[in-house]
Every structure is written in C-alpha cells, then in structure tokens.
Amino acid sequence: MKKILFATSECVPFIKTGGLADVCGALPKEFSKEDWDVRVVMPLYSCIPEHFRNNFEYITNFYMGTGSYIPKKYVGIFRYVLDGITYYFIDNQEYFNCFQIYGNIRYDIEKFCFFDKAVLSILKAIDFRPDLIHCHDWETGFIPVYLKNEFSADSFYWNIKTVITIHNLQFQGVWDIQTMQGLTGFGKNLFTPDKLEFKKDANMLKGGLVYADYITTVSDSYANEIQTPEYGEGLDGLLSARHYDMQGIVNGIDYNIYNPATDPKIYVTYDAESFRQKKALNKVKLQQELGLAVDKKKYLIGLISRLTDQKGLDLINYMMDYIADDYTQFVIIGTGDIRYENMFRHYAWKYPDRISANICYSDDLAHKLYASADAFLMPSRFEPCGLTQLISYRYGTVPIVRETGGLKDTVAPFNEYENTGEGFSFRNYNADEMLATINYSKHIFFDRKRQWNQMVDRGMTMDYSWRASKEKYQNLYNYLLGY
C-alpha cells in the first residue's frame, strides 16, 4: 500500500476560491483504494460550512513554535472521512478564524509558514507516515524545505518524497528575509540565491521548487512557457535548470458534478443526443431569470472568471461594444478587481437586454450558465490550465480561447474545410484578433449550424475526467518511490 498525503490550502467540498480546490477535492478519489492510501491535510478554517465542521472528529493537540516571531502555539488535529478519503484539519483559531481564506499577504505568509511545519509535525500524532507528500502552490512551499532541513535529523522523516504542483506561478509568497527568518526559524544559510532568496527577499514557492523532488504544472504548454522570461515570473532560470524534474499534467474535472444529464442545478437536463432541442430551453430560462431579451436564437456568450488582469478582460473592454451586437448576449459571473467589476456593471447598464453582470460567485448560477451558453470566452493573458473550457465541453458549450497554457493544450481550433476541432482560438494577445475570432464563431453559429452542432458533438464526447490525468500522477509517484 503506497501512502500519499496531499497538502493544500483549499479543497472541495470544504472551501474553494479557485481550481486548486477542485484538483485537491477530485484527484485523491480517483486512486484505487487497494493500492493507494491517499489522504488530504488542510487548515481548519472557521468559514468551512457548519454541517461539515460539526462532524469533524477531534484527535489530539500539541504546541509548536516555528521561529522567533511565532512562539509555541496550539495545533489541533481533526479528522473527517468523506467518499472513502480521510481528511485532516489543522486547527488554530488565531490563524484560521476567518471569513476569507486569503487576504493580507503578510498575514497569509505567517499562517502558511505555521501550517507547513504543522503538516510535518502532526504525522506521528495521526500515525500516518506518507511515502510522498504532494504540495500545492506557494502556501505549501516550505514543506519540502522543513522536511530536508529541520526534520532531517529524525529517521521517521527519512526518504519521504515531495512533489510540488504549480497551479499559478504568479503567486509566490514573497516577503523580506528578516521577517521570513523570524517566521520559520530557518538559518541564514538557507536565504541565498540558490535556495530561498529572491531579488533580496525570501520566496516560499521558490523554496518548494528548490527542495521538492519533482515539480508538476497543470498543462504541458504552461510547463514550457514558465521556463521563459515572458511567463516565468522571475523564476524561469530555476525552472529551466530543473526541467528534467518537471512535467505538465492537465487537470481533469469531476464528471459526476458536471453532468448535464443529471445536474440538479440546471433548468432542463440533456445529453449528447438531446442537446439540440433542450439546451435552448436552458437559454430561455436563464434569459428570463437575468432579465435579458428572451430569444433562443440569440448567440449567448458566457464568462466565469476571477476578474483580474490575467484573464484578458482589458481585451473585452476594448471590444465589448462590438461583441454585444444586436444578435449577441453576454453573461458574466465573477468577482475581483474593482475596475473590472465596475467595467462589467457599466456595460450591463448600457446594454441591459444584452449583458448581465453578476458580480458574485454562485455555483448554482454557474451551472445554469454552462448549460445555457452557446460559447464561453477565455482570452487569458496566461492560463496554467483552465477548467472552464473543460466544463464547457461537457455541457455542449463551445470555448473561444487564446492559445496559451492549458487552453492551447485542450482546445483544438475549428477548421471548417476539414470539419475538425472543438472550439475557436487566437494566438496573439490582441483585441482585434480576439474580436475577429468571436465574429468568426458567430458566422459558424448562424450560417453553418450543422457544422456548429457537429463541433458540439465532438466536444461532448471528449474525456477530460480525472481518469487520464490520474494515470500520469500514478506513474510519477511510482517513479519517485522506485516502483
């Protein structure tokens, strides 16, 4: 029995702000219970829904310090089993009593320094010695550092392997060296350019990238892109140096949650056989709910996103007056930078019958939009993987994307002459190019409906469940463990 521990800052169904939570919630369930014992550890946030927290089982507690800035503090350990997976929750109300799990970066760095050491410290108490710890993003970046330094004197921790997955290289956990020393207890010898030092500061993600046994990203193209100055966020040299210990594995989605044939959150269920008739019924219902002009023949474009620079929203701003023409509607769901929130509010005010700006995150509304939209727009500046395009396929919705990262890997552009491809794409980060691609998609939708429906058919038969990705992770784990 091979033992794997996922260490993460968020995980579905307990707490979610992005795709990281989906990965850590779905992937552990895919492994065979006969050969793999996969468990998950995360913080016990007070904002985890009560119906979960009330059923967590208390195991034990102890006190632990990290550096001079964090004297001995309470570490509580709780356990919960769901769908055959054991979840551990690290409790400390000073750090994890919150309405939002991320906020002030200085405070976030402190609480995740505490969490990273606690992950290793609880292993004896829970009587679980993993063969491998799979770390996710900068919040868990110091786990490999602690493991190969402070914990290396204890034979219990010998030969535990570590993998770190980059979900988004833009976020790294950077702060000044003096503070980071005080938070971690690491010696000065670790804060050098070949280890944790980064532009005269300290970098949590870099620590993980240096000390982990292997690095993964969430798509092949993103793994290549981040080795270049354009996408490397200052770490391209390190990532290039470690490229033999790195690979991209595309994320999957949970096909039980995202299934238009059984989804209780959508208006009318449908499948690949019935989408031609029933998908339009969802569109009409959504138009009614959101106060848009009710017309099933309108071209409905959806966008579900964090409203940040990464997502290409400045391109949409340039072209919204041309995108939302007399035959097109646009529905947005998301929160983020206030300028983008207000931008979409403005366009919804300007075109109330064409544009609906839902500045919130509603999972129910998101499912309804996947089922109702004809196309989904993702003009990202960069995109490590992207889940929206994969979910869109499942619901018979055609993605329109920029060719970057996981979007490039998962969306084959439509070729009207060979009748191939499952979506539309453009290469350069350019608003005119984006608009030309959107207009081309409208042409296919309105004038070549048979080819459009065949494109939808191809998308709905694609398999982006976790099955294929799980095999790659299994092979990686077996390689690191010597099997």
Side-chain angles (χ1 to χ4, degrees):
M1 180 70 75
K2 288 163 274 194
K3 299 177 180 178
I4 309 295
L5 182 66
F6 274 54
T8 179
S9 59
E10 57 183 270
C11 180
V12 166
F14 306 106
I15 200 82
K16 173 183 174 176
T17 68
L20 166 62
D22 292 305
V23 173
C24 294
L27 181 55
K29 294 188 289 187
E30 294 293 323
F31 291 87
S32 164
K33 304 294 190 295
E34 295 178 2
D35 302 317
W36 300 88
D37 183 358
V38 183
R39 307 186 188 186
V40 180
V41 60
M42 63 179 291
L44 203 170
Y45 303 108
S46 60
C47 49
I48 292 174
E50 279 193 20
H51 68 273
F52 288 124
R53 286 191 292 118
N54 291 342
N55 291 295
F56 291 173
E57 174 194 358
Y58 169 77
I59 299 177
T60 187
N61 75 83
F62 56 87
Y63 284 79
M64 177 199 79
T66 55
S68 58
Y69 289 12
I70 306 180
K72 288 195 172 183
K73 292 184 182 290
Y74 171 86
V75 180
I77 310 171
F78 287 77
R79 177 172 55 204
Y80 185 67
V81 179
L82 180 66
D83 297 329
I85 302 297
T86 299
Y87 298 86
Y88 296 103
F89 297 86
I90 293 175
D91 180 34
N92 180 285
Q93 288 298 293
E94 181 180 345
Y95 289 130
F96 305 128
N97 184 13
C98 54
F99 293 107
Q100 294 181 325
I101 64 175
Y102 311 119
N104 180 295
I105 183 62
R106 162 63 178 80
Y107 189 62
D108 288 345
I109 285 172
E110 178 172 338
K111 72 187 181 188
F112 288 115
C113 287
F114 171 84
F115 173 74
D116 288 2
K117 185 173 180 180
V119 166
L120 297 172
S121 300
I122 70 169
L123 296 180
K124 290 183 179 179
I126 63 176
D127 192 26
F128 182 68
R129 184 194 176 280
D131 299 305
L132 182 148
I133 302 175
H134 192 152
C135 307
H136 294 268
D137 266 352
W138 73 266
E139 294 90 349
T140 58
F142 278 168
I143 292 175
V145 185
Y146 274 117
L147 182 66
K148 292 187 176 177
N149 289 278
E150 186 173 333
F151 287 77
S152 62
D154 188 337
S155 61
F156 176 87
Y157 296 94
W158 292 355
N159 297 319
I160 294 178
K161 301 296 184 180
T162 54
V163 173
I164 188 163
T165 295
I166 303 168
H167 295 268
N168 193 332
L169 190 63
Q170 190 174 42
F171 305 104
Q172 299 180 9
V174 178
W175 207 255
D176 70 88
I177 290 175
Q178 182 179 350
T179 301
M180 205 73 91
Q181 270 189 277
L183 294 176
T184 60
F186 293 151
K188 287 184 178 180
N189 63 305
L190 293 185
F191 295 94
T192 56
D194 60 328
K195 294 174 183 171
L196 309 185
E197 188 268 335
F198 177 76
K199 298 180 180 178
K200 299 184 179 179
D201 288 321
N203 185 319
M204 289 184 70
L205 180 62
K206 184 181 178 183
L209 300 179
V210 169
Y211 279 94
D213 296 294
Y214 206 90
I215 301 165
T216 70
T217 69
V218 288
S219 71
D220 280 328
S221 289
Y222 192 61
N224 292 322
E225 287 172 352
I226 60 177
Q227 296 177 52
T228 67
E230 183 179 358
Y231 293 97
E233 303 289 347
L235 294 174
D236 49 287
L238 169 60
L239 292 164
S240 296
R242 293 217 61 188
H243 75 278
Y244 289 117
D245 300 318
M246 179 168 68
Q247 66 173 297
I249 302 175
V250 171
N251 285 339
I253 58 173
D254 190 324
Y255 268 34
N256 293 318
I257 294 174
Y258 297 107
N259 183 356
T262 60
D263 190 341
K265 297 177 179 178
I266 67 177
Y267 304 106
V268 181
T269 56
Y270 60 93
D271 57 21
E273 300 297 320
S274 60
F275 85 87
R276 286 168 174 79
Q277 294 77 35
K278 294 185 176 180
K279 189 170 171 61
L281 300 178
N282 283 281
K283 183 194 294 188
V284 168
K285 292 281 189 182
L286 185 71
Q287 289 169 335
Q288 292 171 343
E289 180 174 331
L290 299 181
L292 298 172
V294 178
D295 183 352
K296 69 178 183 180
K297 294 183 179 180
K298 295 279 189 182
Y299 185 50
L300 179 58
I301 300 174
L303 185 148
I304 300 174
S305 177
R306 285 181 295 108
L307 304 183
T308 65
D309 288 332
Q310 174 197 337
K311 299 298 183 178
L313 306 181
D314 53 335
L315 303 186
I316 296 174
N317 188 30
Y318 283 124
M319 292 299 178
M320 185 64 99
D321 291 314
Y322 302 99
I323 295 171
D325 58 25
D326 292 339
Y327 310 99
T328 307
Q329 295 175 335
F330 203 142
V331 177
I332 301 99
I333 302 173
T335 61
D337 294 354
I338 191 69
R339 65 189 176 110
Y340 290 127
E341 291 183 353
N342 288 337
M343 175 189 93
F344 284 121
R345 288 189 182 105
H346 165 74
Y347 284 118
W349 166 81
K350 188 175 182 180
Y351 303 109
D353 62 330
R354 304 178 194 176
I355 298 176
S356 174
N358 304 276
I359 308 304
C360 63
Y361 184 75
S362 165
D363 191 53
D364 284 3
L365 186 59
H367 280 246
K368 289 180 171 67
L369 181 54
Y370 284 122
S372 303
D374 299 298
F376 250 79
L377 180 59
M378 297 182 72
S380 302
R381 187 182 300 271
F382 66 93
E383 193 66 58
C385 177
L387 297 176
T388 301
Q389 79 279 16
L390 308 183
I391 300 169
S392 296
Y393 285 141
R394 186 76 164 141
Y395 285 82
T397 304
V398 175
I400 303 171
V401 306
R402 179 172 171 258
E403 295 173 8
T404 183
L407 302 179
K408 181 179 179 181
D409 290 348
T410 58
V411 179
F414 174 66
N415 183 322
E416 67 177 88
Y417 305 104
E418 298 179 359
N419 202 20
T420 58
E422 300 83 39
F424 299 90
S425 66
F426 60 100
R427 178 168 296 178
N428 297 305
Y429 193 77
N430 178 285
D432 290 307
E433 202 169 320
M434 179 192 72
L435 181 64
T437 304
I438 294 171
N439 287 338
Y440 178 57
S441 76
K442 292 179 184 181
H443 161 62
I444 302 302
F445 178 79
F446 288 114
D447 303 329
R448 294 175 176 261
K449 197 68 171 186
R450 186 165 178 266
Q451 283 190 302
W452 179 277
N453 286 337
Q454 290 171 340
M455 183 164 37
V456 172
D457 285 330
R458 291 192 293 273
M460 292 189 78
T461 58
M462 296 176 74
D463 184 1
Y464 277 106
S465 67
W466 276 104
R467 195 177 302 112
S469 301
K470 179 253 312 187
E471 295 289 338
K472 293 183 179 180
Y473 279 113
Q474 277 187 182
N475 292 339
L476 171 58
Y477 296 162
N478 282 327
Y479 162 72
L480 291 172
L481 297 177
Y483 288 98

